[in-house]
Amino acid sequence: MAIPVIDFSTLNGDKRGETMALLHEACQKWGCFLIENHDIEGKLMEKVKKVINSYYEENLKESFYQSEIAKRLEKKENTCDVDWESSFFIWHRPASNIRKIPNLSEDLCQTMDEYIDKLVQVAETLSQMMSENLGLEKDYIKKAFSGNNNNGPAMGTKVAKYPECPYPELVRGLREHTDAGGIILLLQDDKVPGLEFFKDGKWIEIPPSKNNAIFVNTGDQIEVLSNGLYKSVVHRVMPDKNGSRLSIASFYNPVGEAIISPAPKLLYPSNYCYGDYLELYGKTKFGDKGPRFESIKNKANGN
């Protein structure tokens, strides 16, 4: 089953409509897709992976294999409530904490800052495309996620390694879940697999990303804002016996104080008098029902 691929290079040409339709279908039926030709330099993305892998090897790997999780697995004790991962979280926006995290080199900090600046542009392009596909104002998602914050939506990154696992059949790399936030943009390993998404009653393996394609999935707040038209999808990570998988997942999220609700334009009319509907129906029976719903909604709201 082929994952939808969104080619950013087509957004300003004759194929824009086709690409927008593909994105709309991906958000409705998959809740995930790949982005290619996103204009973030491959050299920068490779450096991000390199400095993060080095940080893990130098600062986290040894302590992970000495951790309580590793000891429980070695003893083959119950591991249903733990994840086989070594991770930390970086906040970028509204305020960055990257230079407060122990042992992060200035080179790593600068590299991540440069990458996130570029990635925010990709996320905002996606948010505009999604808003447009939903029939909303182009900046609707960005404004909803920003709350009263003039600095825009929040942005953070979960950096994770899923280490080589001696008993992968006994533990999850990351247990089944949906993501709480908005638009998740994943720079992942190009060699080691493990990511799986649940679709149509079965688990779909997401292969390692090639040519620095960005894997994207939509979170719970996009599902709520779209009134269920777009879906947040259940996914998990399976550990690997022969390799450690890298995951750099950046979250384009609402700020903490943002008030989230379905976009009013996407809601069905409610609390209206059926007699009023019948009267309108008699005049518009052979027309599209969409404008009829909108008219009755406006009447019920006193407009």
Side-chain angles (χ1 to χ4, degrees), residues 164-206:
E164 289 184 19
C165 182
Y167 306 109
E169 69 281 2
L170 299 180
V171 69
R172 294 281 190 268
L174 185 61
R175 286 163 287 169
E176 293 80 359
H177 66 288
T178 62
D179 288 324
I183 300 172
I184 299 86
L185 303 101
L186 173 65
L187 173 59
Q188 67 164 342
D189 207 289
D190 57 3
K191 295 183 178 65
V192 181
L195 181 62
E196 296 183 353
F197 273 65
F198 196 70
K199 177 174 168 53
D200 298 334
K202 58 185 177 182
W203 288 101
I204 306 297
E205 295 182 5
I206 307 300

Side-chain angles (χ1 to χ4, degrees), residues 52 157-162 186-189 237 245-249:
I52 292 296
T157 298
K158 178 186 175 183
V159 177
K161 285 284 284 191
Y162 298 94
L186 173 65
L187 173 59
Q188 67 164 342
D189 207 289
V237 176
R245 177 178 174 270
L246 175 64
S247 168
I248 303 169

Side-chain angles (χ1 to χ4, degrees), residues 47-60 86-92 96-113 116 157-161 246 248:
K47 186 174 182 182
V48 170
K49 291 188 282 188
K50 180 181 178 181
V51 294
I52 292 296
N53 275 325
S54 295
Y55 176 78
Y56 166 76
E57 291 291 332
E58 295 168 9
N59 296 278
L60 302 176
S86 175
S87 65
F88 62 96
F89 198 88
I90 305 170
W91 281 110
H92 309 290
S96 174
N97 73 341
I98 193 168
R99 286 170 176 79
K100 297 178 182 178
I101 299 172
N103 301 318
L104 292 190
S105 68
E106 184 58 27
D107 184 41
L108 188 156
C109 293
Q110 289 181 4
T111 300
M112 281 299 297
D113 284 346
I116 292 300
T157 298
K158 178 186 175 183
V159 177
K161 285 284 284 191
L246 175 64
I248 303 169

Side-chain angles (χ1 to χ4, degrees), residues 229-250:
L229 289 173
Y230 290 172
K231 306 298 183 184
S232 64
V233 61
V234 175
H235 53 286
R236 67 186 183 186
V237 176
M238 305 300 286
D240 194 283
K241 194 169 187 175
N242 301 308
S244 295
R245 177 178 174 270
L246 175 64
S247 168
I248 303 169
S250 297

Side-chain angles (χ1 to χ4, degrees), residues 55-278:
Y55 176 78
Y56 166 76
E57 291 291 332
E58 295 168 9
N59 296 278
L60 302 176
K61 182 177 181 179
E62 183 177 351
S63 61
F64 177 81
Y65 283 111
Q66 294 174 354
S67 68
E68 188 61 32
I69 295 172
K71 291 175 182 177
R72 283 171 62 179
L73 186 64
E74 188 63 35
K75 295 176 184 177
K76 298 186 178 179
E77 296 177 352
N78 180 25
T79 54
C80 66
D81 60 341
V82 297
D83 301 309
W84 186 261
E85 70 169 2
S86 175
S87 65
F88 62 96
F89 198 88
I90 305 170
W91 281 110
H92 309 290
R93 301 182 182 189
S96 174
N97 73 341
I98 193 168
R99 286 170 176 79
K100 297 178 182 178
I101 299 172
N103 301 318
L104 292 190
S105 68
E106 184 58 27
D107 184 41
L108 188 156
C109 293
Q110 289 181 4
T111 300
M112 281 299 297
D113 284 346
E114 183 181 354
Y115 171 64
I116 292 300
D117 284 346
K118 302 287 187 183
L119 196 64
V120 166
Q121 296 176 30
V122 174
E124 290 189 346
T125 298
L126 278 173
S127 75
Q128 290 171 1
M129 294 168 70
M130 290 179 187
S131 295
E132 185 177 337
N133 273 337
L134 289 167
L136 305 172
E137 296 83 2
K138 201 172 182 179
D139 60 353
Y140 190 93
I141 292 175
K142 181 179 179 180
K143 283 185 175 180
F145 282 9
S146 299
N148 295 321
N149 175 18
N150 293 327
N151 295 320
M155 192 77 173
T157 298
K158 178 186 175 183
V159 177
K161 285 284 284 191
Y162 298 94
E164 289 184 19
C165 182
Y167 306 109
E169 69 281 2
L170 299 180
V171 69
R172 294 281 190 268
L174 185 61
R175 286 163 287 169
E176 293 80 359
H177 66 288
T178 62
D179 288 324
I183 300 172
I184 299 86
L185 303 101
L186 173 65
L187 173 59
Q188 67 164 342
D189 207 289
D190 57 3
K191 295 183 178 65
V192 181
L195 181 62
E196 296 183 353
F197 273 65
F198 196 70
K199 177 174 168 53
D200 298 334
K202 58 185 177 182
W203 288 101
I204 306 297
E205 295 182 5
I206 307 300
S209 294
K210 301 299 182 184
N211 301 317
N212 289 310
I214 297 173
F215 183 83
V216 177
N217 68 280
T218 46
D220 294 345
Q221 305 316 305
I222 292 293
E223 180 164 336
V224 170
L225 188 147
S226 70
N227 197 36
L229 289 173
Y230 290 172
K231 306 298 183 184
S232 64
V233 61
V234 175
H235 53 286
R236 67 186 183 186
V237 176
M238 305 300 286
D240 194 283
K241 194 169 187 175
N242 301 308
S244 295
R245 177 178 174 270
L246 175 64
S247 168
I248 303 169
S250 297
F251 296 78
Y252 183 80
N253 278 359
V255 294
E257 65 273 16
I259 305 300
I260 303 298
S261 61
K265 189 174 181 179
L266 302 179
L267 292 173
Y268 281 110
S270 60
N271 299 312
Y272 57 85
C273 174
Y274 180 56
D276 291 339
Y277 187 86
L278 279 179

